[in-house]
Amino acid sequence: GLGTLGGSESGAEGNNDRGDVAGFSLTAGDAAQHAVLWAAAGGPQDLGTFGGANSAAFAVNNGGAVVGYAQNVAGVDRPFLWRPGAGLR
């Protein structure tokens, strides 16, 4: 399995040719859903939010860039691009 961020569920939404997988995981106590990158060479990485509760990742390219949505502090879903070393944008 992919593993979780401490919650009871996770799911894959996209993968790349390197074996990286992007998707979501529930956090501890199933308190929120966060975007996750499961890199081929490591465990689940929480990609976070824009200050809101939830996010999800939909795709990862061969360069490791991830796209998805993340909520801001007002609870509004905003698109994001996450890149290794640069974080959510």
Side-chain angles (χ1 to χ4, degrees):
L2 292 172
T4 71
L5 299 174
S8 65
E9 182 179 350
S10 65
E13 297 292 336
N15 65 296
N16 64 20
D17 294 335
R18 299 182 331 175
D20 301 329
V21 176
F24 70 92
S25 173
L26 296 178
T27 60
D30 294 346
Q33 174 185 288
H34 281 197
V36 176
L37 173 65
W38 290 272
Q45 180 175 358
D46 187 344
L47 303 184
T49 71
F50 290 128
N54 298 303
S55 62
F58 301 128
V60 57
N61 70 16
N62 288 336
V66 178
V67 294
Y69 84 88
Q71 290 180 337
N72 64 18
V73 293
V76 177
D77 293 345
R78 307 296 299 192
F80 75 74
L81 169 63
W82 179 95
R83 288 184 299 210
L88 273 176
R89 302 252 190 259

